[in-house]
C-alpha cells in the first residue's frame, strides 16, 4: 500500500475524527429536533395582527380625517390589503396581499408620510415579494418545519461557525500524528516536498469526506420527514448597508462552498506549518487562532482598523452567514459598511490555500538545495 493509503488508514483509526463527526451531526441536527424561531409565517402574522389592530383603531378614531387626501387613500388601501391577508384562504393569496400591503407602505415612505428604517422596509418588501412568487409556499415558523433545501441553508449558517472548522484542525493533527509514526520508515525514500504534497492531498480528501458524511447524516432524516423543499424560497439579508436577495438553494450551496474551502485552506496551512516547524501541534494551533478571529464583536465593523481590507482576508469567509445569508434569518446587517460576495470569498480562500501550498513546497525545495550544498561541501551526496 502506498504512503497516501497508509496515511488514510491511520487517520481513520483515530477516534478524534469520529468525535468531530458526532459533534457536527449533533449541532447541525439540533434545530431539526428542537424548534428554533425563525423569520417566517408566525412572525409575519404577528406583525400583521399588530399593524391591523393599530390601523383599525386609527380608522375608528378618525385619525386621518384632516390628513392629505393622498395619505387617506394610502391608509385605506393598506388597511384593505391587510384585511384581505388576514382572511386569505390560501397561503399564496396571503403572501400576495402582504406584498401589496408592503408596496403601499413603501409608497408611504417615498411620499414622506411614513418614518421608518428604509433598509428594513426594503428587506420586508423583498421577502414578501419572494414569498408571493412561490406557487405553493410552505408554512415555516420554526426550524423543525423546514424541508431539506431550506434546512441546509439555515443549519449551516446558524451553527456556530467555529464548529465547522474543527474537521480541518482535527484532521491536520491526526495527519501529523500518523506521519510521525512512519517518519523513520519513510524518510529515506521520500523527499520532504513529496511527503508534504501527499499529506495535503490526504488532508483535503479526508476533510471532504468528514463534512459530506456529517451533512448526509443530518439531511437524510430531514428530507424523509419534510421533503426536499423549494429551492427558490427567498433569502433576504442586509449586507454592507444594502439589501441582498438570494434563494435557499443558492444560500445553501454558498454555505457548503465556503465551509469546504475554509477547511481546505486551514488543513493546508496547518500541514505546511507543522511540517516546516517540525512541531506537531503548531499548525492546528494556528488554525484554531484564525478560526477564533471572526468571533470578535468588532471584526466586521466598518470602524475597525482592518475594515478597508476586510474583503481580502481569509478569516472574513471562515463563517459563511455574513456572506451568504440563510433561510429564516432576521434582517440585521452583520457587515455594516463592508460589501462581501461569495465569488470574492471563493477567490480569497483558494488563493490563500494555493499560496500556503506553494510556500510549503518551495521551502522544502530550498531546504533540500541548502542541505545538498552543505553535503557537497563535505564531499557527500544528498539523497
Amino acid at each position: 500500500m502506498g504512503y497516501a493509503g497508509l496515511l488514510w488508514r491511520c487517520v481513520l483509526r483515530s477516534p478524534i475524527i469520529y468525535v468531530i463527526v458526532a459533534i457536527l451531526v449533533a449541532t447541525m441536527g439540533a434545530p431539526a429536533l428542537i424548534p428554533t424561531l425563525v423569520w417566517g409565517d408566525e412572525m409575519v402574522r404577528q406583525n400583521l395582527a399588530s399593524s391591523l389592530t393599530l390601523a383599525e383603531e386609527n380608522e375608528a378614531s378618525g385619525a386621518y380625517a384632516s390628513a392629505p387626501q393622498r395619505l387617506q387613500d394610502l391608509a385605506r388601501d393598506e388597511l384593505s390589503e391587510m384585511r384581505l391577508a388576514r382572511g386569505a384562504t390560501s397561503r399564496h393569496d396571503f403572501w400576495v396581499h402582504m406584498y401589496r400591503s408592503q408596496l403601499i407602505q413603501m409608497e408611504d415612505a417615498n411620499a414622506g408620510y411614513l418614518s421608518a428604517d428604509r433598509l428594513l422596509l426594503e428587506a420586508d418588501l423583498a421577502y414578501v415579494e419572494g414569498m408571493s412568487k412561490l406557487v405553493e409556499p410552505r408554512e415555516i415558523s420554526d426550524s423543525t418545519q423546514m424541508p431539506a433545501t431550506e434546512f441546509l441553508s439555515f443549519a449551516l449558517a446558524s451553527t456556530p461557525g467555529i464548529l465547522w472548522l474543527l474537521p480541518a484542525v482535527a484532521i491536520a493533527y491526526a495527519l501529523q500524528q500518523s506521519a510521525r509514526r512512519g517518519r523513520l520508515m519513510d524518510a529515506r525514500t521520500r523527499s520532504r516536498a513529496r511527503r508534504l504534497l501527499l499529506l495535503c492531498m490526504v488532508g483535503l480528501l479526508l476533510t471532504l469526506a468528514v463534512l459530506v458524511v456529517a451533512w448526509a447524516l443530518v439531511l437524510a432524516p430531514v428530507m424523509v420527514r419534510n421533503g426536499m423543499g423549494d429551492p427558490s424560497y427567498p433569502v433576504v439579508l442586509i449586507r454592507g448597508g444594502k439589501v441582498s436577495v438570494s434563494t435557499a438553494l443558492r444560500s445553501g450551496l454558498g454555505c457548503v462552498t465556503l465551509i469546504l474551502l475554509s477547511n481546505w485552506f486551514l488543513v493546508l496551512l496547518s500541514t505546511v506549518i507543522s511540517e516546516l516547524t517540525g512541531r506537531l501541534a503548531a499548525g492546528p494551533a494556528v488554525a484554531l487562532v484564525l478560526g477564533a478571529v471572526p468571533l470578535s464583536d468588532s471584526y466586521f465593523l466598518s470602524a475597525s482598523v482592518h475594515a478597508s481590507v476586510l474583503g481580502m482576508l481569509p478569516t472574513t469567509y471562515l463563517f459563511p452567514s455574513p456572506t451568504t445569508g440563510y433561510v429564516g434569518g432576521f434582517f440585521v446587517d452583520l457587515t455594516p459598511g463592508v460589501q462581501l460576495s461569495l465569488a470574492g470569498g471563493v477567490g480569497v480562500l483558494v488563493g490563500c490555500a494555493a499560496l500556503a501550498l506553494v510556500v510549503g513546497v518551495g521551502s522544502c525545495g530550498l531546504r533540500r538545495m541548502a542541505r545538498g550544498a552543505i553535503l557537497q561541501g563535505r564531499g557527500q551526496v544528498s539523497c
Side-chain angles (χ1 to χ4, degrees):
M1 180 179 290
Y3 186 57
L6 288 172
L7 277 174
W8 180 279
R9 288 184 60 182
C10 287
V11 174
L12 288 182
R13 290 174 182 171
S14 173
I16 191 173
I17 301 300
Y18 303 97
V19 172
I20 294 301
V21 171
I23 291 174
L24 294 180
V25 170
T27 52
M28 180 181 175
L33 301 175
I34 304 171
T36 302
L37 185 63
V38 299
W39 182 261
D41 288 64
E42 183 175 340
M43 297 202 69
V44 171
R45 290 183 184 278
Q46 288 177 359
N47 288 345
L48 171 63
S50 300
S51 299
L52 189 54
T53 298
L54 179 61
E56 288 177 335
E57 289 176 353
N58 288 336
E59 182 188 44
S61 64
Y64 296 107
S66 58
Q69 186 60 46
R70 180 57 182 155
L71 177 56
Q72 293 185 40
D73 293 341
L74 289 172
R76 183 180 62 254
D77 292 343
E78 183 180 3
L79 178 58
S80 174
E81 291 297 338
M82 288 193 290
R83 283 170 172 165
L84 289 171
R86 180 180 58 184
T89 56
S90 73
R91 293 182 44 71
H92 180 265
D93 289 344
F94 168 79
W95 288 110
V96 167
H97 291 301
M98 286 301 301
Y99 173 52
R100 292 172 180 171
S101 170
Q102 200 67 36
L103 278 175
I104 296 171
Q105 276 198 30
M106 184 61 72
E107 191 175 346
D108 250 345
N110 291 336
Y113 297 134
L114 178 64
S115 177
D117 188 311
R118 181 77 183 192
L119 282 176
L120 287 179
L121 283 177
E122 290 179 6
D124 281 332
L125 178 61
Y127 177 74
V128 295
E129 180 181 11
M131 292 299 296
S132 70
K133 292 179 179 179
L134 299 181
V135 178
E136 295 181 4
R138 184 164 181 165
E139 181 172 356
I140 298 178
S141 296
D142 63 62
S143 56
T144 62
Q145 298 175 334
M146 288 184 175
T149 303
E150 288 87 336
F151 186 80
L152 175 66
S153 167
F154 173 79
L156 291 183
S158 61
T159 298
I162 197 166
L163 294 181
W164 289 120
L165 306 179
L166 292 181
V169 177
I171 288 170
Y173 185 83
L175 275 173
Q176 289 301 312
Q177 274 190 324
S178 302
R180 279 161 172 70
R181 289 173 188 164
R183 182 179 290 276
L184 293 177
M185 176 185 69
D186 188 70
R188 294 182 181 179
T189 60
R190 199 169 305 281
S191 70
R192 291 174 63 93
R194 188 178 178 190
R195 184 174 63 245
L196 175 62
L197 288 173
L198 287 173
L199 283 168
C200 290
M201 180 189 72
V202 174
L204 295 179
L205 293 175
L206 282 169
T207 303
L208 174 63
V210 166
L211 289 172
V212 169
V213 167
W215 293 334
L217 288 175
V218 174
L219 291 178
V222 172
M223 184 168 59
V224 170
R225 186 179 67 181
N226 295 336
M228 273 299 296
D230 192 332
S232 58
Y233 190 95
V235 172
V236 179
L237 68 154
I238 300 176
R239 185 173 55 194
K242 296 182 180 180
V243 175
S244 298
V245 182
S246 182
T247 64
L249 181 62
R250 295 210 310 264
S251 171
L253 292 179
C255 287
V256 166
T257 301
L258 290 181
I259 290 172
L260 181 59
L261 291 179
S262 295
N263 275 271
W264 280 356
F265 161 63
L266 290 179
V267 80
L268 288 176
L269 182 66
S270 299
T271 302
V272 168
I273 291 175
S274 292
E275 282 293 297
L276 295 184
T277 61
R279 297 178 180 275
L280 184 149
V286 171
L288 276 177
V289 171
L290 289 178
V293 168
L295 293 174
S296 169
D297 292 337
S298 61
Y299 182 79
F300 288 103
L301 296 181
S302 56
S304 60
V305 294
H306 57 275
S308 59
V309 295
L310 195 60
M312 296 180 284
L313 300 177
T315 47
T316 299
Y317 304 99
L318 297 182
F319 298 172
S321 58
T323 302
T324 63
Y326 57 96
V327 170
F330 292 84
F331 307 139
V332 178
D333 193 349
L334 299 177
T335 59
V338 180
Q339 285 292 324
L340 301 177
S341 69
L342 177 60
V346 170
V348 168
L349 291 172
V350 170
C352 289
L355 178 62
L357 188 58
V358 168
V359 169
V361 173
S363 298
C364 289
L366 290 175
R367 287 186 178 186
R368 181 180 176 84
M369 292 171 58
R371 183 171 178 267
I374 293 173
L375 291 178
Q376 284 180 356
R378 295 177 179 176
Q380 302 177 23
V381 178
S382 173
C383 60

